[in-house]
């Protein structure tokens, strides 16, 4: 979660300037569907906490293409198929959260 000083700085900037939050996702790590889900939930919680517009960006796209992430955001079935390949507790939790 955001620190108290981070919240003060964010609110001060937002009161003075047009402000947008940029959330940077590590594309290499987000290839794991559980990590992808964690990043999306964290970005969403930041957006709701700050009540500011949010842009999610993917870095390291020179190492791995971001197309899998775009596909998962557009096609729930493809994301679910990726989660189904992992039988861990975390993937079960991610599957449950992705249905909400």
């Amino acid at each position: 979660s955001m620190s108290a000083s981070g919240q003060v700085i964010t609110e001060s900037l937002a009161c003075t300037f047009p402000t947008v939050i940029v959330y940077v996702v590590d594309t290499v790590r987000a290839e794991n569907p559980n990590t992808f889900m964690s990043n999306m939930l964290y970005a969403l919680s930041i957006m709701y906490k700050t009540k500011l517009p949010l842009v999610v960006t993917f870095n390291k796209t020179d190492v791995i293409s971001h197309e899998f992430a775009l596909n998962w955001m557009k096609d729930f079935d493809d994301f679910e198929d990726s989660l189904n390949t992992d039988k861990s507790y975390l993937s079960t939790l991610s599957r449950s959260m992705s249905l909400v």
Side-chain angles (χ1 to χ4, degrees):
S1 70
M2 207 163 49
S3 67
S5 60
Q7 187 170 358
V8 169
I9 292 168
T10 302
E11 288 173 359
S12 297
L13 287 171
C15 287
T16 310
F17 304 104
T19 305
V20 175
I21 303 291
V22 177
Y23 184 84
V24 181
V25 176
D26 185 331
T27 309
V28 176
R29 290 180 186 247
E31 190 177 25
N32 177 322
N34 294 312
T35 306
F36 176 81
M37 173 61 80
S38 295
N39 274 284
M40 294 301 104
L41 289 172
Y42 195 60
L44 187 65
S45 70
I46 291 170
M47 185 184 75
Y48 279 115
K49 184 171 183 158
T50 61
K51 297 181 180 101
L52 292 169
L54 180 117
V55 175
V56 177
T57 60
F58 288 83
N59 69 357
K60 301 181 186 173
T61 55
D62 57 327
V63 176
I64 184 171
S65 173
H66 63 286
E67 292 299 320
F68 72 91
L70 292 175
N71 192 37
W72 285 349
M73 287 186 271
K74 292 176 186 173
D75 185 357
F76 173 75
D77 292 329
D78 189 44
F79 179 68
E80 189 175 38
D81 289 345
S82 296
L83 281 173
N84 286 336
T85 62
D86 183 2
K87 299 299 180 194
S88 69
Y89 171 76
L90 185 57
S91 70
T92 303
L93 179 63
S94 291
R95 246 187 319 283
S96 297
M97 289 188 301
S98 69
L99 293 172
V100 176

XYZ file of all heavy atoms in Angstrom:
788
model
N 0.829 -1.188 0.000
C 0.000 0.000 0.000
C 0.872 1.249 0.000
O 2.063 1.191 0.276
C -0.942 -0.017 1.188
O -0.228 0.162 2.382
N 0.250 2.347 -0.283
C 0.982 3.609 -0.403
C 1.320 4.143 0.984
O 0.520 4.031 1.910
C 0.099 4.608 -1.154
C 0.877 5.634 -1.894
S -0.047 6.520 -3.163
C -1.518 7.043 -2.381
N 2.505 4.714 1.132
C 2.907 5.292 2.412
C 2.138 6.588 2.660
O 1.573 7.184 1.750
C 4.405 5.569 2.404
O 4.702 6.597 1.469
N 2.141 7.016 3.925
C 1.447 8.260 4.269
C 2.056 9.433 3.518
O 1.333 10.295 3.007
C 1.517 8.489 5.773
N 3.397 9.483 3.420
C 4.038 10.583 2.691
C 3.710 10.524 1.204
O 3.520 11.548 0.560
C 5.547 10.568 2.911
O 6.103 9.344 2.451
N 3.614 9.301 0.653
C 3.232 9.158 -0.752
C 1.834 9.669 -1.009
O 1.564 10.316 -2.030
N 0.946 9.416 -0.075
C -0.424 9.904 -0.219
C -0.473 11.427 -0.125
O -1.189 12.073 -0.892
C -1.320 9.280 0.852
C -2.771 9.607 0.662
C -3.674 8.796 1.577
O -3.215 7.950 2.329
N -4.951 9.060 1.489
N 0.300 12.008 0.792
C 0.332 13.472 0.929
C 0.869 14.106 -0.346
O 0.300 15.081 -0.861
C 1.182 13.885 2.152
C 1.454 15.379 2.161
C 0.508 13.453 3.438
N 1.947 13.566 -0.890
C 2.542 14.101 -2.121
C 1.551 13.978 -3.280
O 1.347 14.926 -4.042
C 3.870 13.387 -2.447
C 4.920 13.759 -1.406
C 4.345 13.721 -3.855
C 6.171 12.913 -1.450
N 0.921 12.806 -3.405
C -0.036 12.583 -4.493
C -1.212 13.552 -4.402
O -1.613 14.156 -5.399
C -0.549 11.130 -4.450
O 0.557 10.249 -4.546
C -1.507 10.852 -5.585
N -1.752 13.716 -3.206
C -2.888 14.628 -3.032
C -2.491 16.080 -3.283
O -3.253 16.847 -3.867
C -3.477 14.469 -1.626
C -4.221 13.166 -1.455
C -4.669 12.906 -0.026
O -4.390 13.741 0.864
O -5.300 11.867 0.197
N -1.281 16.454 -2.865
C -0.806 17.822 -3.105
C -0.655 18.099 -4.594
O -1.059 19.168 -5.074
C 0.535 18.051 -2.413
O 0.397 17.923 -1.025
N -0.075 17.150 -5.316
C 0.074 17.321 -6.761
C -1.288 17.372 -7.450
O -1.513 18.182 -8.344
C 0.915 16.187 -7.347
C 2.406 16.233 -7.057
C 3.073 14.932 -7.500
C 3.050 17.425 -7.742
N -2.182 16.486 -7.035
C -3.497 16.407 -7.681
C -4.316 17.668 -7.448
O -5.155 18.020 -8.280
C -4.244 15.182 -7.178
N -4.090 18.349 -6.320
C -4.822 19.598 -6.052
C -4.300 20.758 -6.892
O -5.011 21.714 -7.144
C -4.707 19.961 -4.568
S -5.681 18.905 -3.513
N -3.044 20.657 -7.321
C -2.392 21.760 -8.019
C -2.324 21.553 -9.531
O -2.462 22.506 -10.291
C -0.962 21.959 -7.478
O -1.019 22.026 -6.046
C -0.332 23.225 -8.006
N -2.090 20.312 -9.962
C -1.861 20.012 -11.380
C -2.783 18.885 -11.836
O -3.187 18.046 -11.035
C -0.413 19.551 -11.606
C 0.625 20.510 -11.123
C 1.326 20.261 -9.951
C 0.914 21.669 -11.836
C 2.299 21.142 -9.501
C 1.877 22.551 -11.391
C 2.570 22.284 -10.221
N -3.058 18.840 -13.142
C -3.737 17.645 -13.667
C -2.795 16.445 -13.443
O -1.634 16.493 -13.834
C -3.908 17.932 -15.154
C -3.661 19.400 -15.321
C -2.809 19.832 -14.163
N -3.269 15.424 -12.769
C -2.402 14.329 -12.340
C -2.942 12.991 -12.810
O -4.137 12.726 -12.711
C -2.279 14.328 -10.798
O -1.837 15.614 -10.375
C -1.297 13.282 -10.318
N -2.037 12.142 -13.296
C -2.363 10.782 -13.703
C -1.349 9.859 -13.031
O -0.158 10.148 -13.004
C -2.278 10.622 -15.242
C -2.500 9.177 -15.652
C -3.273 11.531 -15.925
N -1.826 8.755 -12.494
C -0.950 7.753 -11.896
C -0.488 6.809 -13.005
O -1.288 6.361 -13.824
C -1.692 6.939 -10.809
C -2.250 7.840 -9.720
C -0.791 5.850 -10.234
C -1.235 8.495 -8.849
N 0.801 6.492 -13.027
C 1.343 5.519 -13.976
C 1.803 4.304 -13.180
O 2.652 4.417 -12.303
C 2.522 6.102 -14.789
C 3.109 5.040 -15.717
C 2.074 7.323 -15.572
N 1.219 3.162 -13.480
C 1.591 1.906 -12.825
C 2.395 1.097 -13.827
O 1.907 0.782 -14.919
C 0.345 1.137 -12.385
C 0.661 -0.120 -11.616
C 0.908 -0.069 -10.250
C 0.734 -1.351 -12.242
C 1.219 -1.208 -9.536
C 1.038 -2.495 -11.538
C 1.275 -2.423 -10.195
O 1.594 -3.556 -9.481
N 3.629 0.768 -13.485
C 4.528 0.063 -14.396
C 4.570 -1.415 -14.025
O 4.869 -1.779 -12.885
C 5.951 0.660 -14.357
C 6.865 -0.073 -15.324
C 5.908 2.152 -14.679
N 4.259 -2.253 -15.009
C 4.260 -3.705 -14.826
C 5.517 -4.283 -15.469
O 5.851 -3.939 -16.604
C 3.009 -4.336 -15.476
C 3.043 -5.854 -15.371
C 1.748 -3.781 -14.860
N 6.191 -5.160 -14.756
C 7.345 -5.877 -15.301
C 6.806 -6.980 -16.218
O 6.276 -7.985 -15.751
C 8.171 -6.470 -14.164
C 9.453 -7.137 -14.631
O 9.488 -7.634 -15.785
O 10.418 -7.170 -13.854
N 6.912 -6.774 -17.502
C 6.315 -7.686 -18.480
C 6.869 -9.096 -18.371
O 6.127 -10.066 -18.512
C 6.529 -7.138 -19.911
O 6.088 -5.786 -19.946
C 5.756 -7.938 -20.932
N 8.161 -9.214 -18.111
C 8.783 -10.544 -18.007
C 8.146 -11.346 -16.875
O 7.781 -12.507 -17.038
C 10.307 -10.417 -17.806
C 10.943 -11.770 -17.598
C 10.943 -9.707 -19.010
N 7.989 -10.718 -15.724
C 7.386 -11.418 -14.573
C 5.886 -11.612 -14.753
O 5.315 -12.597 -14.274
C 7.666 -10.661 -13.289
C 9.111 -10.725 -12.889
C 9.354 -9.951 -11.608
N 10.760 -9.900 -11.318
C 11.324 -10.509 -10.285
N 10.593 -11.203 -9.463
N 12.623 -10.415 -10.099
N 5.224 -10.684 -15.405
C 3.768 -10.750 -15.574
C 3.346 -11.841 -16.549
O 2.147 -12.097 -16.698
C 3.231 -9.403 -16.029
N 4.306 -12.484 -17.192
C 3.966 -13.603 -18.072
C 3.345 -14.743 -17.260
O 2.573 -15.539 -17.784
C 5.205 -14.085 -18.822
C 4.897 -15.067 -19.908
C 6.132 -15.485 -20.690
O 7.243 -15.416 -20.147
O 5.953 -15.890 -21.850
N 3.661 -14.792 -15.978
C 3.021 -15.739 -15.073
C 1.623 -15.194 -14.774
O 1.486 -14.063 -14.299
C 3.853 -15.845 -13.788
C 3.223 -16.753 -12.763
O 2.013 -16.784 -12.584
N 4.057 -17.486 -12.059
N 0.559 -15.956 -15.034
C -0.794 -15.426 -14.852
C -1.099 -14.993 -13.415
O -1.874 -14.060 -13.201
C -1.717 -16.560 -15.299
C -0.868 -17.755 -15.446
C 0.542 -17.313 -15.567
N -0.484 -15.646 -12.423
C -0.704 -15.231 -11.029
C -0.092 -13.860 -10.767
O -0.692 -13.017 -10.091
C -0.103 -16.251 -10.065
C -0.828 -17.574 -10.137
O -2.045 -17.625 -10.105
N -0.073 -18.648 -10.259
N 1.087 -13.619 -11.308
C 1.739 -12.315 -11.153
C 0.957 -11.250 -11.904
O 0.789 -10.126 -11.421
C 3.188 -12.372 -11.659
O 3.864 -13.441 -10.995
C 3.925 -11.082 -11.404
N 0.470 -11.596 -13.084
C -0.349 -10.670 -13.864
C -1.584 -10.250 -13.061
O -1.903 -9.069 -12.955
C -0.762 -11.319 -15.189
C -1.681 -10.479 -16.017
C -1.180 -9.454 -16.800
C -3.049 -10.712 -16.012
C -2.028 -8.665 -17.558
C -3.901 -9.936 -16.770
C -3.393 -8.910 -17.542
N -2.277 -11.230 -12.483
C -3.472 -10.939 -11.695
C -3.123 -10.057 -10.499
O -3.835 -9.094 -10.199
C -4.120 -12.239 -11.214
C -5.268 -12.028 -10.248
S -6.637 -11.099 -10.930
C -7.459 -12.357 -11.838
N -2.025 -10.343 -9.825
C -1.602 -9.534 -8.676
C -1.347 -8.091 -9.095
O -1.751 -7.154 -8.394
C -0.341 -10.118 -8.049
O -0.593 -11.374 -7.510
N -0.679 -7.902 -10.229
C -0.406 -6.557 -10.720
C -1.686 -5.807 -11.055
O -1.822 -4.626 -10.731
C 0.497 -6.610 -11.959
C 1.948 -6.644 -11.607
O 2.529 -5.635 -11.238
N 2.547 -7.824 -11.710
N -2.629 -6.474 -11.695
C -3.875 -5.814 -12.065
C -4.677 -5.419 -10.818
O -5.242 -4.324 -10.753
C -4.722 -6.709 -12.976
C -4.102 -6.986 -14.341
S -3.781 -5.505 -15.305
C -2.012 -5.346 -15.130
N -4.706 -6.292 -9.820
C -5.428 -5.972 -8.588
C -4.755 -4.836 -7.830
O -5.427 -3.963 -7.266
C -5.541 -7.212 -7.701
C -6.490 -8.284 -8.223
C -6.374 -9.550 -7.365
C -7.917 -7.785 -8.226
N -3.435 -4.839 -7.800
C -2.716 -3.775 -7.112
C -2.939 -2.433 -7.819
O -3.176 -1.413 -7.178
C -1.229 -4.107 -7.021
C -0.484 -3.249 -6.035
C -0.832 -3.234 -4.689
C 0.553 -2.430 -6.447
C -0.161 -2.439 -3.783
C 1.229 -1.630 -5.546
C 0.866 -1.642 -4.213
O 1.524 -0.845 -3.331
N -2.887 -2.439 -9.148
C -3.139 -1.211 -9.912
C -4.548 -0.706 -9.642
O -4.771 0.501 -9.457
C -2.939 -1.468 -11.401
N -5.501 -1.604 -9.597
C -6.883 -1.222 -9.330
C -7.040 -0.623 -7.931
O -7.723 0.378 -7.753
C -7.790 -2.446 -9.479
C -9.281 -2.212 -9.409
C -9.736 -1.355 -10.575
C -10.004 -3.539 -9.416
N -6.372 -1.210 -6.955
C -6.481 -0.683 -5.592
C -5.858 0.710 -5.496
O -6.378 1.583 -4.792
C -5.837 -1.636 -4.580
O -4.441 -1.655 -4.702
N -4.769 0.946 -6.217
C -4.153 2.284 -6.238
C -5.106 3.286 -6.883
O -5.282 4.401 -6.386
C -2.800 2.255 -6.969
C -1.781 1.486 -6.141
C -2.298 3.659 -7.270
C -0.480 1.188 -6.867
N -5.743 2.878 -7.973
C -6.664 3.780 -8.658
C -7.826 4.175 -7.735
O -8.185 5.335 -7.633
C -7.204 3.129 -9.927
C -8.080 4.056 -10.739
S -8.811 3.262 -12.171
C -10.085 2.272 -11.404
N -8.397 3.198 -7.030
C -9.518 3.498 -6.144
C -9.077 4.292 -4.921
O -9.810 5.146 -4.439
C -10.237 2.216 -5.717
C -11.195 1.726 -6.770
C -10.982 0.524 -7.420
C -12.298 2.483 -7.144
C -11.849 0.075 -8.404
C -13.176 2.053 -8.126
C -12.945 0.848 -8.750
O -13.798 0.412 -9.727
N -7.880 4.022 -4.427
C -7.406 4.753 -3.246
C -7.120 6.219 -3.580
O -7.453 7.114 -2.813
C -6.148 4.099 -2.680
C -5.662 4.761 -1.411
C -4.563 3.984 -0.744
C -4.206 4.680 0.549
N -3.574 3.822 1.498
N -6.493 6.462 -4.729
C -6.123 7.840 -5.091
C -7.261 8.589 -5.769
O -7.250 9.811 -5.816
C -4.909 7.851 -6.033
O -5.240 7.161 -7.236
C -3.689 7.237 -5.366
N -8.218 7.858 -6.344
C -9.322 8.463 -7.097
C -8.810 9.323 -8.250
O -9.373 10.356 -8.579
C -10.228 9.273 -6.177
C -10.900 8.444 -5.116
C -11.808 9.283 -4.245
C -12.464 8.430 -3.205
N -11.863 8.509 -1.903
N -7.703 8.882 -8.844
C -7.099 9.576 -9.979
C -7.076 8.645 -11.185
O -7.085 7.423 -11.034
C -5.659 9.989 -9.640
C -5.499 11.071 -8.580
C -4.042 11.186 -8.157
C -6.006 12.403 -9.100
N -7.013 9.222 -12.391
C -6.870 8.371 -13.580
C -5.580 7.559 -13.489
O -4.579 8.026 -12.941
C -6.801 9.366 -14.735
C -7.281 10.664 -14.199
C -7.066 10.640 -12.723
N -5.618 6.357 -14.022
C -4.466 5.459 -13.941
C -4.149 4.900 -15.320
O -5.058 4.501 -16.051
C -4.774 4.316 -12.972
C -3.653 3.314 -12.810
C -3.150 3.323 -11.376
C -4.130 1.926 -13.170
N -2.874 4.868 -15.651
C -2.397 4.253 -16.891
C -1.488 3.101 -16.494
O -0.553 3.279 -15.709
C -1.615 5.265 -17.758
C -1.031 4.583 -18.979
C -2.500 6.431 -18.155
N -1.783 1.911 -16.998
C -0.930 0.746 -16.757
C 0.012 0.622 -17.942
O -0.429 0.585 -19.090
C -1.763 -0.538 -16.598
C -0.865 -1.755 -16.432
C -2.719 -0.416 -15.422
N 1.313 0.589 -17.654
C 2.314 0.456 -18.713
C 3.113 -0.823 -18.496
O 3.308 -1.258 -17.366
C 3.285 1.657 -18.736
O 3.954 1.724 -17.480
C 2.551 2.952 -18.976
N 3.553 -1.410 -19.588
C 4.354 -2.630 -19.527
C 5.765 -2.299 -19.996
O 5.948 -1.808 -21.112
C 3.731 -3.712 -20.414
C 2.460 -4.274 -19.837
C 1.248 -3.627 -20.019
C 2.490 -5.435 -19.088
C 0.081 -4.131 -19.476
C 1.322 -5.946 -18.536
C 0.122 -5.292 -18.726
N 6.755 -2.575 -19.136
C 8.139 -2.318 -19.518
C 8.795 -3.603 -20.025
O 8.180 -4.668 -20.046
C 8.927 -1.701 -18.351
C 9.147 -2.675 -17.209
O 8.677 -3.804 -17.216
N 9.865 -2.229 -16.202
N 10.031 -3.495 -20.447
C 10.840 -4.629 -20.942
C 10.190 -5.340 -22.124
O 10.357 -6.537 -22.308
C 11.130 -5.615 -19.811
C 11.876 -5.007 -18.649
C 12.143 -6.033 -17.580
C 12.773 -5.383 -16.361
N 12.896 -6.322 -15.249
N 9.446 -4.590 -22.939
C 8.807 -5.210 -24.097
C 9.809 -5.543 -25.198
O 9.441 -6.177 -26.177
C 7.688 -4.311 -24.665
O 8.219 -3.018 -24.951
C 6.548 -4.184 -23.674
N 11.062 -5.122 -25.006
C 12.107 -5.551 -25.935
C 12.585 -6.964 -25.590
O 13.137 -7.658 -26.435
C 13.290 -4.575 -25.904
C 13.883 -4.426 -24.516
O 13.130 -4.503 -23.524
O 15.106 -4.221 -24.419
N 12.327 -7.409 -24.355
C 12.725 -8.745 -23.916
C 11.633 -9.760 -24.243
O 11.893 -10.850 -24.707
C 13.026 -8.747 -22.395
C 13.356 -10.149 -21.905
C 14.149 -7.775 -22.067
N 10.390 -9.366 -23.972
C 9.245 -10.234 -24.231
C 8.080 -9.355 -24.699
O 7.875 -8.265 -24.180
C 8.857 -11.055 -22.977
C 7.731 -12.028 -23.286
C 8.517 -10.176 -21.817
C 7.456 -13.015 -22.167
N 7.325 -9.842 -25.639
C 6.195 -9.086 -26.173
C 5.095 -8.965 -25.117
O 4.876 -9.874 -24.319
C 5.642 -9.781 -27.411
O 4.452 -9.155 -27.832
N 4.384 -7.876 -25.160
C 3.280 -7.624 -24.237
C 1.952 -8.169 -24.774
O 0.916 -8.022 -24.127
C 3.149 -6.119 -24.001
C 2.803 -5.376 -25.254
N 3.732 -5.162 -26.252
C 1.642 -4.847 -25.688
C 3.139 -4.518 -27.241
N 1.879 -4.315 -26.929
N 1.989 -8.807 -25.938
C 0.755 -9.270 -26.577
C -0.032 -10.240 -25.704
O -1.263 -10.249 -25.738
C 1.059 -9.914 -27.934
C 1.552 -8.940 -28.985
C 0.539 -7.836 -29.301
O -0.678 -8.127 -29.368
O 0.970 -6.687 -29.474
N 0.660 -11.078 -24.914
C -0.053 -12.014 -24.047
C -0.939 -11.259 -23.050
O -2.054 -11.682 -22.761
C 0.931 -12.932 -23.298
C 1.702 -12.231 -22.207
C 1.218 -12.188 -20.911
C 2.905 -11.595 -22.494
C 1.924 -11.527 -19.913
C 3.609 -10.935 -21.501
C 3.115 -10.900 -20.206
N -0.434 -10.128 -22.538
C -1.192 -9.338 -21.564
C -2.419 -8.706 -22.219
O -3.507 -8.711 -21.641
C -0.301 -8.272 -20.936
N -2.236 -8.174 -23.415
C -3.379 -7.607 -24.136
C -4.429 -8.680 -24.398
O -5.630 -8.442 -24.234
C -2.927 -6.978 -25.458
C -2.058 -5.731 -25.354
C -1.594 -5.297 -26.740
C -2.805 -4.614 -24.661
N -3.962 -9.844 -24.772
C -4.879 -10.945 -25.049
C -5.620 -11.360 -23.783
O -6.836 -11.592 -23.810
C -4.117 -12.134 -25.642
C -5.050 -13.164 -26.211
O -6.076 -12.837 -26.793
N -4.706 -14.422 -26.040
N -4.913 -11.465 -22.656
C -5.566 -11.839 -21.402
C -6.600 -10.797 -20.979
O -7.624 -11.143 -20.406
C -4.535 -12.010 -20.295
C -3.738 -13.283 -20.389
C -3.977 -14.348 -21.194
C -2.576 -13.600 -19.642
N -3.025 -15.319 -20.992
C -2.151 -14.884 -20.047
C -1.831 -12.938 -18.679
C -1.038 -15.514 -19.504
C -0.716 -13.555 -18.139
C -0.332 -14.827 -18.552
N -6.326 -9.514 -21.247
C -7.274 -8.476 -20.868
C -8.513 -8.485 -21.762
O -9.586 -8.058 -21.350
C -6.607 -7.099 -20.903
C -5.639 -6.894 -19.757
S -4.964 -5.236 -19.685
C -3.517 -5.388 -20.713
N -8.367 -8.973 -22.986
C -9.485 -9.001 -23.932
C -10.246 -10.323 -23.905
O -11.440 -10.356 -24.183
C -8.970 -8.771 -25.354
C -8.437 -7.382 -25.584
C -7.865 -7.275 -26.990
C -7.195 -5.940 -27.216
N -6.497 -5.888 -28.508
N -9.534 -11.426 -23.608
C -10.121 -12.760 -23.724
C -10.000 -13.501 -22.390
O -8.970 -14.087 -22.081
C -9.402 -13.530 -24.833
C -10.008 -14.888 -25.108
O -10.961 -15.288 -24.418
O -9.511 -15.566 -26.033
N -11.086 -13.481 -21.618
C -11.072 -14.122 -20.305
C -10.776 -15.611 -20.413
O -10.074 -16.181 -19.573
C -12.403 -13.900 -19.579
C -12.503 -14.680 -18.309
C -11.801 -14.271 -17.187
C -13.280 -15.821 -18.237
C -11.865 -14.995 -16.004
C -13.351 -16.548 -17.063
C -12.652 -16.132 -15.951
N -11.304 -16.266 -21.443
C -11.099 -17.708 -21.587
C -9.625 -18.053 -21.750
O -9.149 -19.057 -21.200
C -11.906 -18.253 -22.774
C -13.404 -18.199 -22.517
O -13.805 -18.333 -21.339
O -14.158 -18.017 -23.487
N -8.901 -17.233 -22.496
C -7.467 -17.466 -22.670
C -6.723 -17.301 -21.344
O -5.841 -18.087 -21.014
C -6.898 -16.522 -23.731
C -5.470 -16.877 -24.098
O -5.188 -18.075 -24.279
O -4.639 -15.948 -24.187
N -7.104 -16.283 -20.579
C -6.484 -16.080 -19.271
C -6.797 -17.263 -18.360
O -5.914 -17.792 -17.670
C -6.962 -14.771 -18.642
C -6.384 -14.518 -17.286
C -5.032 -14.245 -17.132
C -7.181 -14.566 -16.155
C -4.485 -14.033 -15.877
C -6.640 -14.341 -14.907
C -5.294 -14.077 -14.761
N -8.034 -17.702 -18.368
C -8.432 -18.843 -17.536
C -7.677 -20.110 -17.936
O -7.244 -20.884 -17.072
C -9.932 -19.063 -17.631
C -10.446 -20.081 -16.646
C -11.959 -20.196 -16.685
O -12.543 -20.122 -17.784
O -12.543 -20.370 -15.611
N -7.491 -20.322 -19.245
C -6.709 -21.474 -19.713
C -5.283 -21.427 -19.183
O -4.716 -22.450 -18.795
C -6.691 -21.536 -21.243
C -8.033 -21.924 -21.833
O -8.902 -22.426 -21.076
O -8.230 -21.688 -23.045
N -4.704 -20.243 -19.151
C -3.341 -20.091 -18.628
C -3.297 -20.394 -17.134
O -2.349 -21.011 -16.651
C -2.823 -18.676 -18.879
O -2.724 -18.436 -20.257
N -4.310 -19.964 -16.412
C -4.377 -20.274 -14.979
C -4.573 -21.764 -14.736
O -4.050 -22.316 -13.769
C -5.521 -19.503 -14.314
C -5.275 -18.047 -13.981
C -6.568 -17.393 -13.500
C -4.191 -17.890 -12.935
N -5.314 -22.421 -15.614
C -5.605 -23.848 -15.427
C -4.376 -24.740 -15.582
O -4.406 -25.885 -15.139
C -6.708 -24.298 -16.390
C -8.062 -23.786 -15.961
O -8.288 -23.501 -14.792
N -8.963 -23.655 -16.917
N -3.326 -24.221 -16.189
C -2.109 -25.034 -16.327
C -1.370 -25.162 -14.995
O -0.542 -26.047 -14.835
C -1.149 -24.434 -17.382
O -0.745 -23.134 -16.957
C -1.813 -24.374 -18.746
N -1.684 -24.293 -14.040
C -1.049 -24.307 -12.724
C -2.076 -24.793 -11.706
O -3.184 -24.271 -11.638
C -0.575 -22.889 -12.377
C 0.169 -22.811 -11.070
O 0.359 -23.855 -10.420
O 0.559 -21.689 -10.693
N -1.740 -25.784 -10.918
C -2.684 -26.356 -9.953
C -2.374 -25.919 -8.513
O -2.850 -26.517 -7.565
C -2.657 -27.888 -10.029
C -3.057 -28.430 -11.380
C -4.466 -28.027 -11.758
C -4.829 -28.581 -13.117
N -6.008 -27.976 -13.679
N -1.597 -24.874 -8.346
C -1.236 -24.417 -7.006
C -2.406 -23.694 -6.341
O -3.382 -23.309 -6.984
C -0.029 -23.482 -7.073
O -0.385 -22.263 -7.684
N -2.277 -23.495 -5.031
C -3.291 -22.749 -4.280
C -3.420 -21.334 -4.840
O -4.531 -20.815 -4.971
C -2.924 -22.704 -2.799
C -3.810 -21.768 -2.014
C -5.109 -22.138 -1.678
C -3.365 -20.501 -1.647
C -5.948 -21.278 -0.979
C -4.192 -19.641 -0.943
C -5.471 -20.032 -0.614
O -6.291 -19.174 0.065
N -2.286 -20.718 -5.176
C -2.311 -19.347 -5.678
C -3.090 -19.245 -6.982
O -3.842 -18.296 -7.183
C -0.889 -18.816 -5.861
C -0.763 -17.364 -6.274
C -1.465 -16.452 -5.268
C 0.689 -16.974 -6.398
N -2.941 -20.212 -7.856
C -3.695 -20.151 -9.112
C -5.185 -20.359 -8.865
O -6.018 -19.771 -9.549
C -3.163 -21.162 -10.122
O -3.474 -22.473 -9.733
N -5.531 -21.169 -7.875
C -6.937 -21.346 -7.514
C -7.510 -20.033 -7.006
O -8.625 -19.632 -7.381
C -7.079 -22.437 -6.428
O -6.495 -23.636 -6.909
C -8.535 -22.683 -6.077
N -6.747 -19.336 -6.177
C -7.165 -18.032 -5.679
C -7.298 -17.025 -6.827
O -8.281 -16.283 -6.907
C -6.157 -17.526 -4.640
C -6.435 -16.158 -4.029
C -7.753 -16.172 -3.259
C -5.289 -15.753 -3.124
N -6.324 -17.015 -7.727
C -6.377 -16.104 -8.883
C -7.593 -16.396 -9.762
O -8.233 -15.484 -10.270
C -5.105 -16.223 -9.708
O -4.003 -15.715 -9.010
N -7.895 -17.673 -9.942
C -9.064 -18.041 -10.739
C -10.343 -17.509 -10.090
O -11.212 -16.962 -10.757
C -9.158 -19.571 -10.871
C -8.954 -20.072 -12.259
C -9.220 -21.548 -12.427
N -8.775 -22.456 -11.400
C -7.528 -22.864 -11.216
N -6.570 -22.431 -12.009
N -7.208 -23.711 -10.269
N -10.424 -17.620 -8.780
C -11.603 -17.115 -8.065
C -11.715 -15.606 -8.185
O -12.801 -15.076 -8.406
C -11.534 -17.497 -6.584
O -11.564 -18.881 -6.436
N -10.581 -14.905 -8.044
C -10.610 -13.444 -8.126
C -10.892 -12.966 -9.543
O -11.483 -11.910 -9.728
C -9.289 -12.868 -7.618
C -9.137 -13.014 -6.119
S -7.710 -12.163 -5.456
C -6.360 -12.904 -6.325
N -10.489 -13.719 -10.538
C -10.698 -13.276 -11.923
C -12.161 -13.341 -12.316
O -12.565 -12.705 -13.287
C -9.843 -14.106 -12.880
O -10.315 -15.439 -12.951
N -12.946 -14.077 -11.584
C -14.368 -14.181 -11.888
C -15.161 -12.989 -11.363
O -16.279 -12.749 -11.785
C -14.950 -15.470 -11.282
C -14.434 -16.753 -11.908
C -14.922 -17.961 -11.104
C -14.870 -16.870 -13.361
N -14.592 -12.242 -10.448
C -15.297 -11.107 -9.833
C -15.375 -9.950 -10.785
O -14.540 -9.646 -11.532
C -14.597 -10.684 -8.527
C -15.258 -9.454 -7.933
C -14.623 -11.832 -7.546
